Amino acid sequence: MIMSAKTFQDKVAIITGSSVGIGKATAIELVKNGASVVLNGRNQERLTKAENEIKALGGKFLSVCCDVSVPEQAKSLVDKTIETFGKLDILINNAGVSMRGDFADLNPDVYKTVFDINLLGSVNPTIPAIPYIKKSHGSIVFVSSLAGIRGLPGNSAYCSSKMALRAIAESIRIEEAKSKIHVGLVLVGITEIEKGKTTIGADGSLITLKDRSNLNVQSVNSVARAILKNIRKRKFRTTLTGIGKLNAFMQSILPGLVEKVLILSIDKIRKRSE
Ligand SMILES: NC(=O)c1ccc[n+]([C@@H]2O[C@H](COP(=O)([O-])OP(=O)(O)OC[C@H]3O[C@@H](n4cnc5c(N)ncnc54)[C@H](OP(=O)(O)O)[C@@H]3O)[C@@H](O)[C@H]2O)c1
């Protein structure tokens, strides 16, 4: 079912992790298309900046400063949305964190942090949101990554957390097939980042990522538009970028070859993900 150009008019959307980056760009795109948005993040200062951008657009919004990896806080995000707007049409599970480090070097807590945010941070708001999304025949979108197509070197915790989102999305699609809800999965490629964005290092400490402004990466706005298109077309999987589509295709038909190419390119991959 393809929704009309007015798909987002008067809709209410929660975007987790929307104080900066892809989440904020998605909130802005939704507001421009007539939706009311619920902004979220753990840091109030960053959230206030995002609120000001939405205000400047004249958008209707609610802002909930909370940690979606904590079940009670994620539930309060949904509850406050219902108290304010009386309904929920769209939940975009976008909050996420990346990591770096070969598996053998990892402090196991890296897995805990990454799974708490990327996996439970998506599960926690989705469970309380489902009854409302069923009522509105709305959408739940999981923001995954090209790193969720197959395991990549130096990225095992991130890849496995993003791969798990696919399984969750697939299960919900079957369980809720009769509820007429849309469940989407968007696999995002390397995208521009805010200055000073951090990732988790092998020992669990935070590492500042290198600036990507000179690299040929996706813009946050193009990712935001792709997320809206996934919802408008009620698609299951959206795989971004030509290289992402090629990766997904090659992995499905020749996984052994993909592995050989990755082994040969390991130094290049490490350099690119610094
Ligand atoms: N950028 C890329 O190259 C890329 C590529 C593929 C996939 N993705 C995925 O796209 C999503 C967004 O990425 P991004 O680059 O835009 O990230 P980002 O710039 O680091 O923004 C992440 C957002 O999530 C919030 N957040 C993190 N943990 C949270 C938690 N536990 N509870 C609530 N909010 C939380 C952050 O705010 P606070 O820190 O203040 O909480 C921030 O608003 C992620 O799921 C990421 O894995 C990104």
Side-chain angles (χ1 to χ4, degrees):
M1 176 173 42
I2 299 176
M3 307 281 275
S4 75
K6 298 226 178 231
T7 302
F8 300 104
Q9 195 65 45
D10 301 322
K11 296 287 191 263
V12 175
I14 296 176
I15 310 100
T16 69
S18 42
S19 56
V20 293
I22 292 168
K24 184 179 78 177
T26 306
I28 288 173
E29 199 62 29
L30 281 163
V31 162
K32 285 182 178 168
N33 280 271
S36 301
V37 294
V38 182
L39 300 173
N40 160 251
R42 296 162 301 182
N43 178 299
Q44 184 58 56
E45 214 175 296
R46 279 199 286 265
L47 212 43
T48 304
K49 283 189 190 157
E51 287 168 22
N52 290 338
E53 289 188 48
I54 300 286
K55 263 186 216 156
L57 291 170
K60 276 195 224 153
F61 72 94
L62 167 72
S63 180
V64 183
C65 186
C66 75
D67 183 340
V68 287
S69 71
V70 179
E72 299 75 27
Q73 295 189 29
K75 185 176 179 309
S76 83
L77 174 64
V78 175
D79 289 346
K80 285 178 181 161
T81 302
I82 300 301
E83 276 163 30
T84 305
F85 295 109
K87 65 167 186 164
L88 174 61
D89 301 287
I90 299 163
L91 169 65
I92 301 174
N93 287 304
N94 167 77
V97 68
S98 63
M99 50 71 63
R100 300 286 184 271
D102 283 0
F103 186 83
D105 302 327
L106 293 184
N107 176 328
D109 280 351
V110 171
Y111 262 84
K112 184 165 169 14
T113 309
V114 170
F115 271 69
D116 274 352
I117 299 176
N118 294 4
L119 187 80
L120 293 172
S122 297
V123 167
N124 293 334
T126 301
I127 294 173
I130 283 183
Y132 301 106
I133 303 275
K134 276 163 94 160
K135 229 184 248 176
S136 59
H137 297 152
S139 288
I140 301 167
V141 175
F142 294 90
V143 177
S144 181
S145 165
L146 298 185
I149 295 172
R150 59 128 44 245
L152 297 173
N155 247 231
S156 62
Y158 183 68
C159 292
S160 49
S161 70
K162 291 297 188 183
M163 237 179 230
L165 294 180
R166 192 186 85 197
I168 293 171
E170 285 173 348
S171 295
I172 303 174
R173 279 173 71 84
I174 297 166
E175 290 164 2
E176 301 298 339
K178 288 188 183 146
S179 319
K180 297 199 174 85
I181 69 172
H182 158 243
V183 183
L185 181 74
V186 180
L187 281 70
V188 179
I190 299 183
T191 305
E192 62 180 335
I193 50 171
E194 301 266 338
K195 196 168 178 282
K197 175 173 162 160
T198 53
T199 187
I200 302 170
D203 62 359
S205 61
L206 292 178
I207 303 169
T208 302
L209 287 165
K210 275 193 186 158
D211 179 48
R212 291 181 184 169
S213 52
N214 292 329
L215 298 178
N216 182 19
V217 295
Q218 286 179 283
S219 70
V220 288
N221 294 335
S222 69
V223 176
R225 284 192 294 272
I227 292 172
L228 265 68
K229 191 172 172 190
N230 173 281
I231 298 170
R232 194 180 290 117
K233 298 200 161 188
R234 295 177 84 85
K235 265 185 78 171
F236 175 40
R237 192 161 32 184
T238 298
T239 305
L240 297 182
T241 77
I243 196 83
K245 288 183 179 76
L246 181 67
N247 274 346
F249 178 66
M250 293 303 288
Q251 177 62 21
S252 68
I253 57 160
L254 289 169
L257 176 66
V258 174
E259 186 174 273
K260 280 198 182 105
V261 171
L262 286 170
I263 290 170
L264 289 172
S265 343
I266 190 160
D267 293 334
K268 231 174 164 181
I269 296 168
R270 288 197 203 287
K271 188 105 202 84
R272 194 165 162 77
S273 64
E274 272 172 2

